[in-house]
Amino acid sequence: MSVAYGSGTAGGDTRLRAGELDRFRCEFYRSCTARADTLFELTDAVLCADGPVRSLVELTLVAEHRRGHGAMYDALAHGAVTPQRLRRALADVPLPRAGDGRIVLAVDVSPWLRPDAPTSADRLFCHVYGRGRGNAQMIPGWPYSFVAALEPGATSWTAMLDVVRIGPAQDATAVTAAQLREVVDRLTAAGQWRVGDLPIVIVADAGYDITRLAHVLADRPVELVGRLRSDRVLRGPRALRAVGATGRPPRHGPDFALSDPQTWWAPAQTTATDTTRYGRAVATAWDGLYPRLTHRGVWADHPGELPIIAGTLLRLQVERLPGDHAPKPVWLWSSVTGATAQDVDRWWRSFLRRFDLEHTFRLFKQTLGWTRPKVRTPVAADRWTWLIIAAYTQLYLARPLAADLRRPWERPAEPGRLTPARVRRGFRHLRVNTRHPARAPKPSHPGPGRPPGSRNRHRATRHDVGKHATNRTTSHADRG
């Protein structure tokens, strides 16, 4: 039993979002170029199923899926989704913006674990955290790089913009750089960013080489903010050359070891902010710091002198964390130099909003069933991933349209503050008033299947688990 509460959304915004939801559904249907009807109804079944998605075959029992389980498996194995068209449709969706009007993007990798699938190709060893500290594991699977737009306040919503699967022969940072470049170009083409607007902020975790991303994306209107490991050693601006000094002038400044306070000098900016969740947050910033690069790893084939990628180093220290009263400081690096106190506060606040992407990953896996299917080929996995993103985007657009169908023991949610799971709970009622481009199924009879007594004489090919591609040997200074 559920109790319905109105969303309280203004009528103009409701009609606008309803039109955007209809346009996206039609564009999603057009992006399915093979088995479009089945793929579209399979996505509707994901949105309208009661409870979390446990298996694919159970989705064929949902009333919104009018076809049999054979058609569903055939569409997932041999259907086709045009990613570029769907990416353009995602770029046209209204995006959340920060208080100053700029777009904040987050990039992160989430694995689809397939440890018991030796016949699945292109698997990598994916880093997975355990329940306790120091219990991380490397499990075979398919890593996917997601890019999403973040909202300014505390929320479990993000606006998905792109996803790319990282293969064994690809460098993760190079794939991410190309992915971010294309996302920014699509946002510019869609009118989400125009000349004269504030730069787009991109936040990333410590798994990315943030300085290399800043160098590759220097020709785009972006500001990059990424976390650094606490054992990194950076270089500061070189001092002015003394009058009358002889010899070759030094190219690099003094060392700045993040783990050694004796190597720190006076900061350029220091801010203190009182927060309700973390207590007092003190941010300290040093200007002009950069890693010293060497002709090894990804920079081995770089022609000429290696660049100096200078930025702003931030040290964020909070009083407390949930369950941890002695938190360690967080080190961040921004691609912008000459930062003000307002920039420093904006950067670490934007980085904290990056964790909203973890709520999206949890919804994908635990509610929408992203990693539930036991598909064999990575192409089918990519196809199913795009269906999940299309389903989530419809929930995002339906947020102001949904009523709060809460359980009797749940608290009423404020207007516009429904979680994705609660919006999904009432999507079946919204679907009645939306466009349904999928055609009705034609009457058919099941095929004969495999003859009785016959055996499968074509054994599937076994594939070894690959590793991330590297360019020769990655030095300690090149690692993110």
Side-chain angles (χ1 to χ4, degrees):
M1 183 178 105
S2 299
V3 182
Y5 282 79
S7 60
T9 308
D13 187 36
T14 300
R15 290 190 294 270
L16 180 62
R17 279 301 181 97
E20 292 167 352
L21 178 59
D22 285 341
R23 284 192 295 270
F24 180 82
R25 286 172 63 86
C26 294
E27 191 63 22
F28 166 56
Y29 180 77
R30 297 188 190 102
S31 67
C32 300
T33 56
R35 276 74 168 183
D37 299 322
T38 307
L39 293 175
F40 187 87
E41 290 189 354
L42 179 60
T43 306
D44 275 357
V46 172
L47 292 170
C48 299
D50 295 330
V53 176
R54 300 300 184 187
S55 65
L56 284 178
V57 70
E58 290 181 357
L59 292 177
T60 61
L61 304 179
V62 179
E64 286 73 14
H65 193 281
R66 298 174 294 180
R67 290 160 172 82
H69 62 276
M72 181 271 298
Y73 283 119
D74 176 69
L76 200 59
H78 304 289
V81 178
T82 307
Q84 289 301 327
R85 184 160 190 170
L86 193 52
R87 288 184 175 113
R88 290 193 296 267
L90 295 174
D92 288 331
V93 171
L95 299 182
R97 295 176 182 268
D100 55 0
R102 72 174 75 226
I103 299 174
V104 180
L105 304 181
V107 57
D108 202 357
V109 173
S110 183
W112 182 339
L113 301 181
R114 298 288 282 140
D116 300 325
T119 59
S120 297
D122 295 344
R123 291 183 304 158
L124 293 173
F125 285 108
C126 303
H127 185 272
V128 180
Y129 289 99
R131 291 188 176 273
R133 292 187 177 181
N135 291 334
Q137 306 177 44
M138 301 298 290
I139 301 178
W142 292 311
Y144 282 85
S145 175
F146 292 85
V147 178
L150 304 178
E151 297 195 352
T155 177
S156 56
W157 288 95
T158 59
M160 275 291 160
L161 293 173
D162 193 22
V163 63
V164 173
R165 178 172 49 84
I166 303 175
Q170 295 176 316
D171 177 62
T173 303
V175 171
T176 304
Q179 182 184 20
L180 291 174
R181 181 184 296 271
E182 294 177 359
V183 168
V184 173
D185 292 344
R186 285 194 296 271
L187 293 179
T188 304
Q192 302 279 12
W193 186 91
R194 296 182 176 88
V195 177
D197 292 348
L198 295 174
I200 300 173
V201 178
I202 301 176
V203 294
D205 205 3
Y208 293 92
D209 190 345
I210 192 67
T211 55
R212 182 182 168 199
L213 286 176
H215 176 71
V216 175
L217 299 175
D219 58 341
R220 292 297 187 272
V222 297
E223 297 178 1
L224 283 96
V225 180
R227 186 165 66 94
L228 300 179
R229 296 197 315 267
S230 59
D231 60 348
R232 291 289 300 270
V233 178
L234 303 181
R235 291 298 185 100
R238 59 182 180 182
L240 295 177
R241 187 173 176 82
V243 179
T246 60
R248 181 180 178 181
R251 186 167 185 259
H252 302 285
D255 289 345
F256 190 103
L258 275 58
S259 58
D260 186 6
Q262 300 296 329
T263 62
W264 306 351
W265 51 83
Q269 298 288 346
T270 300
T271 65
T273 307
D274 292 326
T275 64
T276 57
R277 185 176 179 83
Y278 307 107
R280 192 169 183 81
V282 179
T284 311
W286 291 266
D287 190 37
L289 273 75
Y290 60 92
R292 182 179 178 180
L293 305 179
T294 58
H295 280 283
R296 284 185 282 178
V298 296
W299 301 99
D301 300 327
H302 184 82
E305 197 173 44
L306 293 174
I308 292 180
I309 311 172
T312 301
L313 179 67
L314 280 74
R315 181 181 185 270
L316 179 62
Q317 180 68 63
V318 298
E319 285 184 342
R320 62 181 182 273
L321 290 175
D324 187 0
H325 295 281
K328 297 180 180 179
V330 175
W331 291 94
L332 305 176
W333 185 89
S334 173
S335 59
V336 179
T337 57
T340 63
Q342 292 75 16
D343 293 331
V344 173
D345 283 341
R346 176 169 54 83
W347 288 334
W348 69 261
R349 289 180 183 275
S350 298
F351 178 79
L352 293 183
R353 294 269 58 84
R354 187 198 69 83
F355 295 98
D356 295 341
L357 198 56
E358 301 296 335
H359 295 287
T360 304
F361 292 155
R362 187 179 298 111
L363 179 82
F364 281 8
K365 295 181 179 180
Q366 297 182 1
T367 303
L368 302 184
W370 172 40
T371 57
R372 284 289 180 177
K374 304 301 181 183
V375 295
R376 174 182 295 179
T377 64
V379 177
D382 296 346
R383 193 172 298 119
W384 174 248
T385 302
W386 279 114
L387 297 186
I388 294 298
I389 291 181
Y392 177 78
T393 304
Q394 294 181 58
L395 293 178
Y396 176 80
L397 293 174
R399 176 165 51 160
L401 310 175
D404 185 12
L405 300 180
R406 67 179 183 88
R407 302 292 189 251
W409 55 85
E410 295 176 341
R411 294 181 179 180
E414 298 179 3
R417 298 290 297 176
L418 294 179
T419 62
R422 285 201 183 186
V423 174
R424 177 176 176 263
R425 192 180 296 168
F427 190 85
R428 172 172 287 171
H429 306 285
L430 297 175
R431 179 184 175 274
V432 179
N433 301 319
T434 60
R435 299 283 299 274
H436 303 88
R439 296 166 295 184
K442 298 178 181 180
S444 62
H445 298 281
R450 182 179 297 173
S454 63
R455 295 183 178 181
N456 183 13
R457 302 184 181 276
H458 303 281
R459 294 181 59 85
T461 305
R462 264 55 176 175
H463 301 274
D464 295 331
V465 182
K467 298 181 179 180
H468 284 297
T470 56
N471 191 355
R472 301 182 187 178
T473 304
T474 303
S475 66
H476 180 76
D478 292 337
R479 281 177 271 177

